[in-house]
Amino acid sequence: MPAVSLSCRICSIEHPLVATGSCSRCFGPLDPTYDWDALRARVSRASIEAGPASIWRYADLLPVAAPSDARLAPGMTPLHPAPRLAAELGIGELWLKLDTANPTHSFKDRVVAVAARKAQELGLETLSCSSTGNLAGAVAARAAAEGLEAVVFVPSDLEPEKLAAAAVYGPRIFAVAGTYDHCSRLSVELSFELPWGFVNVNLRSYYAEGSKTIAYEIAEQLGWQTPDAVVIPIASGALFHKVGQGFNELATLGLVDGSAPSLFGGQAAGCEPVAVAFREGARVVPVRPASIARSLAIGNPADGDFAVATARATGGAIHTVAEDEIGPNMEHLAATTGVFGETATGVTLGALKAAVAAGQVGRQARVVLLVTGDGLKTPGPVSNTYDPIMIEADADAFLEQVLVT
Ligand SMILES: Cc1ncc(COP(=O)(O)O)c(C=O)c1O
Ligand SMILES: [Zn+2]
């Protein structure tokens, strides 16, 4: 296991690799540190390519040892070309990173797989989280696969499909009166009292590292080349920030050709604290969310300021997408690519359209859009498309009457 310590992102002091959510000196977030000289000597394109077809092919760059029995392993999801939509948008190449192909149909399986390994290393028997929906399902499924207990906290107005997609694995589900931010505060308080692995609290440093594997996979799947731009939905900002870190690490190791991509983020108008901070050049100011993109409805985003910094450092931007564009964007993606992404993906496509309209993505650009969650879990905004034509089971009538235009 190559990680050597946890280091504070703010004050840089080092901490041991234990279950601790923040720096004891300044409360800053903690990131695992690695011995990059040792990794440069050991990790090559060939060594990665010889690994398993999952996130565990990048185990050298993760803060936990790969499981010897990798059940339900996430990762190596398809990178799917979308030439029809690229042509419509007027960009050179568009690729969809289909994280809907993970075991519980979202990118959260990546982060949970890493956090659960750490929980097991530390002997913790209960896996817990506060969730906007997808994380609850990923935690519940991972616990079921590994024989751990699962306890999840979700906002009480969660979509019924998301609730069912978590409940089926048998976790204890607590529907909290309030928003995600209330769930989050509750789980932070409980993490000081209970011997549980809260994946996005006391295991957050390990959990967040799982998102780096999206960057690694994109580069590997493009033949160890970087794209020009990657478009990413933002809730807490952890995914956005860690994808940026992942591309930087590949460059540090000399594994990739091309410069780091510009990262573009999307937030829905009903919950846009990170997009506002980017536009105004200010720190993130928490809001009370009111968005149909419930998976992105985090009003007090833990990594929001880091996401803003990542967007600036990479020459990208963070855009706001109108609430009434989210459903039509889900339909547009589905009808032009065959991919049904969730509400978060409606936001992501909106961010790409905004970046193209602003001239931030070149006409020749090679762009990757992350499809981080599955539309089947959030069908509400596209239910207006469901309007079948009622007919009799009669071929003659069909040919003579129905097909007549
Ligand atoms: C489908 C989907 N996409 C993107 C995100 C954003 O992730 P982050 O909180 O790391 O910004 C989430 C978070 O719940 C999500 O469920
Ligand atoms: Zn600190």
Side-chain angles (χ1 to χ4, degrees):
M1 200 255 297
V4 288
S5 65
L6 295 177
S7 170
C8 175
R9 213 182 284 167
I10 306 294
C11 77
S12 299
I13 68 163
E14 308 263 315
H15 301 257
L17 289 160
V18 295
T20 181
S22 54
C23 174
S24 51
R25 186 160 84 183
C26 75
F27 299 110
L30 304 174
D31 292 310
T33 58
Y34 301 85
D35 181 343
W36 292 105
D37 290 334
L39 286 174
R40 250 190 299 271
R42 190 164 76 238
V43 181
S44 65
R45 293 178 181 178
S47 73
I48 290 172
E49 286 163 0
S54 73
I55 62 165
W56 299 117
R57 72 207 275 111
Y58 309 108
D60 280 329
L61 309 176
L62 293 173
V64 293
S68 50
D69 167 17
R71 296 167 213 165
L72 216 64
M76 281 316 267
T77 56
L79 189 66
H80 171 73
R84 293 183 58 216
L85 183 53
E88 270 193 29
L89 297 177
I91 53 181
E93 276 178 45
L94 179 62
W95 298 80
L96 306 177
K97 181 64 172 156
L98 296 186
D99 258 26
T100 47
N102 282 316
T104 68
H105 309 264
S106 89
F107 87 98
K108 296 288 184 180
D109 290 313
R110 298 175 184 271
V111 286
V112 172
V114 177
R117 279 302 293 150
K118 190 65 195 179
Q120 289 171 313
E121 282 178 14
L122 297 171
L124 304 174
E125 289 167 3
T126 299
L127 220 48
S128 187
C129 70
S130 51
S131 171
T132 56
N134 286 309
L135 184 58
V139 162
R142 175 57 50 197
E146 306 290 347
L148 301 168
E149 293 294 316
V151 181
V152 302
F153 299 91
V154 296
S156 55
D157 69 345
L158 197 63
E159 297 100 330
E161 294 84 1
K162 285 243 170 86
L163 211 49
V168 70
Y169 303 108
R172 270 187 289 164
I173 301 183
F174 293 95
V176 177
T179 67
Y180 168 84
D181 299 287
H182 295 97
C183 302
S184 174
R185 206 164 53 224
L186 173 63
S187 62
V188 171
E189 285 173 26
L190 293 176
S191 73
F192 294 114
E193 308 294 334
L194 297 168
W196 295 355
F198 288 83
V199 299
N200 51 352
V201 183
N202 54 2
L203 298 175
R204 188 174 179 85
S205 313
Y206 310 95
Y207 155 98
E209 291 277 286
S211 288
K212 298 188 309 184
T213 58
I214 294 183
Y216 302 157
E217 287 177 22
I218 290 170
E220 184 178 349
Q221 289 168 319
L222 291 175
W224 296 108
Q225 291 190 340
T226 52
D228 299 306
V230 183
V231 195
I232 303 168
I234 293 178
S236 75
L239 168 65
F240 191 88
H241 173 70
K242 288 287 174 175
V243 167
Q245 185 182 323
F247 281 111
N248 289 341
E249 290 177 355
L250 293 179
T252 299
L253 292 171
L255 292 177
V256 75
D257 301 324
S259 47
S262 298
L263 301 190
F264 292 90
Q267 292 214 291
C271 184
E272 51 160 355
V274 188
V276 168
F278 179 84
R279 273 200 302 278
E280 297 184 351
R283 306 264 327 219
V284 169
V285 177
V287 300
R288 190 179 172 93
S291 173
I292 63 162
R294 302 235 176 89
S295 58
L296 303 183
I298 296 183
N300 189 7
D303 287 298
D305 289 320
F306 299 102
V308 170
T310 299
R312 287 205 199 292
T314 62
I318 301 174
H319 290 285
T320 298
V321 177
E323 292 289 327
D324 62 3
E325 287 174 15
I326 295 171
N329 281 339
M330 292 165 72
E331 288 169 26
H332 191 194
L333 182 76
T336 53
T337 69
V339 170
F340 185 18
E342 70 148 76
T343 44
T345 308
V347 172
T348 317
L349 179 54
L352 172 55
K353 290 177 178 176
V356 171
Q360 295 163 340
V361 171
R363 296 278 148 190
Q364 304 302 319
R366 176 190 259 190
V367 180
V368 176
L369 183 138
L370 302 193
V371 182
T372 51
D374 195 321
L376 289 174
K377 289 194 210 172
T378 63
V382 297
S383 53
N384 60 305
T385 58
Y386 181 71
D387 187 18
I389 300 161
M390 303 303 289
I391 57 167
E392 300 300 322
D394 180 331
D396 289 338
F398 183 80
L399 293 170
E400 284 164 22
Q401 295 162 22
V402 181
L403 276 194
V404 176
T405 48

